[in-house]
Amino acid sequence: MYSSVLFAVLLFIVNIAVYVLFDRMSVSDELKRAEAEAESIVKGIQQSASTIPPDDLLRAYAPLDGMLRIVRSDGTSTSPVITSKEQELSELKYTYEEHRRVARIRVEGTGYAWVSVPVIWPDGNVVNVQVMESMNETENRLRVLRTVLIIVTCIALIPAIVSSRILGNRMMNPITSMIRTMREILGSGHFKRLKLGTDSKDELAEMGETFNQMIDMLESSFERQERFVSDASHELKTPLTIIESYASLLKRRGKDRPEVFDEAVEAILSESIRMREMTEQLLMLARKPEQWSVHAQQVNITQTALESVRSFQNAYHRDISFTGDLPIWLETDESKLKQLLFILLDNARKYSEGQISVQVGGNQTEHWIRVTDTGIGIPKEELEKVFDRFYRIDPSRTRKFTAGGSGLGLSLAKDIAQVLGVRIELDSNFGEGTTASIVFSAFSGDSNLR
């Protein structure tokens, strides 16, 4: 409605401006023509005034549609010469004018060009030769123009109103759909998305896509929050129960039985450490990968892997062999790469008692860091499942390894790999061991062998 009214107002203003401009130009041209004709009449009258009586002289020069009269300085006038169609002009009041005047006057709805020219009469007196000519033809043209502009305006408003209606519906439909979807989300508590057309690429389609992306982000955040609450309440219950049980045992028997004291303190410490690690992993998993700050820089992944192996050896006193002589420089986040490598090393430590080997290598298409153990391995049918949260291999198969993890490590490793733009590959033979590889594309960022 607003755009229709605005278009109508602008159209009216333009048409009125066109009409006023054309009216002024036409009237101005008509007055100039009347003035020029009056000058011609005055010259003819001056040449014949001394030989021809005034009444006969005026009849000779009278305009076809108008009036001609001579007004003396004393205010008297000759009888006006008027055509039969302009009899009402004889009743007009007249005055003596000392100066030339040109004006547009109206008589009973008809416009006239009126010209008064001072003239020296043969007797030496100054008189006014006053000429009036009908502007009916000009006014008829202006009337036709006015009618045409009104009709054109009315005709132009019809498609303007229709197109404004169509445009308004086109603009409001996505907004109305968005409002309806929001209300459905508020009412049902379930996330919904707008149905988008595939052909449109305008701002409204972009708004719909942005809305759906926002819903995706909200749903992802909501799911992560729910998953965090569910995971935390489920997984932290066991270590808290163990800590509470041993604390109660300490309270009852710890002072009298040193062996109970040592066992309880060791269990409480172990469960506290496990609960802290699990909490850190849960908090990391609760964050969206795109919210993790990544500080990419040129990193020698060979040196980074060697430092991680040495730190791990010192922390857990495990035998780890390292292979990798050539520096391999890649653009990545060193701290997150170390975190990813520690997860793989920790898994190898938990499910293997033998030597662990780490190899850094590459070729023209990709580079890798491989962590290999000689532990229990993973059945082929379970390789894809180990990246799921809290998934652990059948406890009956891993009973020997009581220090198994919470099942969050590889899930977290998968998220870190996604942030770094690398992939994790698992190759395992059940009962023989597992090789976990961090694979970098040689064409991602600036990379080279030095």
Side-chain angles (χ1 to χ4, degrees):
M1 181 63 69
Y2 172 78
S3 57
S4 300
V5 172
L6 180 60
F7 179 81
V9 170
L10 291 176
L11 192 59
F12 284 139
I13 292 174
V14 170
N15 288 342
I16 290 172
V18 169
Y19 178 79
V20 170
L21 180 62
F22 191 80
D23 177 83
R24 289 184 178 180
M25 291 176 61
S26 300
V27 170
S28 177
D29 291 342
E30 192 68 19
L31 291 177
K32 288 179 180 179
R33 187 190 62 79
E35 186 178 7
E37 189 169 343
E39 288 285 350
S40 177
I41 292 173
V42 166
K43 288 181 181 179
I45 290 176
Q46 283 180 323
Q47 291 175 357
S48 306
S50 59
T51 58
I52 301 175
D55 291 342
D56 296 337
L57 188 62
L58 292 181
R59 277 193 293 272
Y61 288 98
L64 294 177
D65 295 322
M67 179 190 72
L68 178 61
R69 78 162 84 210
I70 295 177
V71 180
R72 302 181 184 91
S73 59
D74 59 1
T76 60
S77 169
T78 61
S79 297
V81 178
I82 305 169
T83 59
S84 59
K85 297 186 295 182
E86 314 293 340
Q87 292 300 319
E88 66 274 5
L89 298 181
S90 62
E91 301 175 2
L92 289 177
K93 294 181 180 180
Y94 58 88
T95 58
Y96 175 79
E97 302 288 343
E98 294 182 353
H99 304 286
R100 178 189 297 247
R101 284 192 59 193
V102 180
R104 178 188 183 185
I105 62 175
R106 301 195 70 82
V107 179
E108 296 185 3
T110 303
Y112 292 89
W114 177 79
V115 182
S116 176
V117 181
V119 178
I120 299 177
W121 207 246
D123 60 3
N125 293 320
V126 179
V127 298
N128 288 150
V129 177
Q130 296 184 353
V131 182
M132 291 182 66
E133 285 195 35
S134 174
M135 298 177 61
N136 192 48
E137 185 177 349
T138 299
E139 290 187 340
N140 285 338
R141 288 198 300 268
L142 291 173
R143 195 175 296 111
V144 171
L145 175 63
R146 185 167 59 247
T147 303
V148 169
L149 290 177
I150 292 174
I151 294 174
V152 169
T153 300
C154 294
I155 293 175
L157 283 177
I158 295 174
I161 294 173
V162 173
S163 61
S164 297
R165 179 73 175 179
I166 295 173
L167 179 62
N169 288 337
R170 178 174 174 79
M171 294 178 63
M172 289 304 298
N173 284 341
I175 299 175
T176 304
S177 177
M178 187 180 298
I179 294 173
R180 184 170 58 250
T181 303
M182 290 179 181
R183 288 176 177 169
E184 290 176 358
I185 292 173
L186 289 175
S188 65
H190 300 292
F191 292 98
K192 296 185 177 180
R193 289 156 184 80
L194 297 176
K195 295 181 179 179
L196 303 176
T198 57
D199 298 333
S200 179
K201 298 296 182 183
D202 55 15
E203 290 81 1
L204 294 174
E206 184 178 353
M207 181 182 67
E209 291 175 359
T210 304
F211 177 82
N212 286 346
Q213 290 172 2
M214 182 188 66
I215 293 298
D216 290 339
M217 183 182 67
L218 290 175
E219 186 174 21
S220 175
S221 298
F222 185 75
E223 288 176 353
R224 285 178 176 273
Q225 181 181 355
E226 280 192 326
R227 195 161 52 189
F228 172 77
V229 173
S230 175
D231 293 346
S233 61
H234 178 268
E235 292 299 319
L236 295 179
K237 186 183 299 182
T238 300
L240 286 174
T241 301
I242 294 174
I243 291 174
E244 182 183 6
S245 299
Y246 275 103
S248 177
L249 181 61
L250 274 176
K251 185 177 180 181
R252 295 195 313 270
R253 303 178 183 177
K255 295 180 180 180
D256 303 328
R257 300 179 60 181
E259 68 279 6
V260 172
F261 180 85
D262 294 337
E263 179 186 353
V265 169
E266 182 64 30
I268 291 174
L269 178 60
S270 175
E271 291 301 317
S272 298
I273 294 173
R274 190 165 77 90
M275 188 168 61
R276 175 180 57 79
E277 292 176 350
M278 188 186 305
T279 303
E280 291 176 352
Q281 291 177 336
L282 284 171
L283 290 173
M284 287 286 289
L285 288 170
R287 298 175 60 188
K288 295 193 300 182
E290 56 266 26
Q291 292 178 328
W292 295 6
S293 56
V294 177
H295 304 286
Q297 58 183 348
Q298 286 292 319
V299 176
N300 182 356
I301 63 171
T302 304
Q303 182 64 30
T304 300
L306 180 58
E307 292 174 359
S308 301
V309 167
R310 289 173 178 171
S311 299
F312 202 83
Q313 282 177 322
N314 294 333
Y316 294 99
H317 306 289
R318 289 294 299 269
D319 183 17
I320 304 176
S321 66
F322 179 82
T323 305
D325 298 328
L326 293 176
I328 300 177
W329 292 86
L330 294 173
E331 188 170 339
T332 186
D333 187 316
E334 186 174 16
S335 63
K336 286 184 172 53
L337 177 59
K338 286 184 177 181
Q339 185 179 8
L340 178 56
L341 190 53
F342 265 76
I343 292 174
L344 300 184
L345 288 170
D346 194 48
N347 271 1
R349 174 188 66 86
K350 291 174 180 176
Y351 296 101
S352 170
E353 293 181 343
Q355 186 184 57
I356 301 171
S357 63
V358 176
Q359 179 192 15
V360 181
N363 53 36
Q364 296 299 322
T365 60
E366 59 187 19
H367 309 296
W368 58 78
I369 301 175
R370 289 174 178 157
V371 179
T372 304
D373 65 64
T374 56
I376 60 174
I378 305 171
K380 295 295 183 183
E381 66 273 12
E382 298 188 27
L383 277 175
E384 293 298 326
K385 301 177 182 179
V386 295
F387 290 101
D388 296 340
R389 299 158 69 89
F390 299 109
Y391 183 83
R392 283 175 283 188
I393 300 173
D394 187 353
S396 62
R397 299 174 177 175
T398 61
R399 190 175 294 113
K400 179 181 178 181
F401 300 93
T402 57
S406 62
L408 291 172
L410 286 179
S411 179
L412 179 58
K414 181 180 178 182
D415 283 354
I416 297 174
Q418 179 183 349
V419 170
L420 294 179
V422 302
R423 68 179 188 272
I424 299 177
E425 296 179 351
L426 289 181
D427 183 22
S428 183
N429 293 315
F430 186 65
E432 297 179 8
T434 303
T435 297
S437 302
I438 305 171
V439 182
F440 305 81
S441 171
F443 303 103
S444 60
D446 296 329
S447 64
N448 53 16
L449 289 170
R450 299 182 185 173

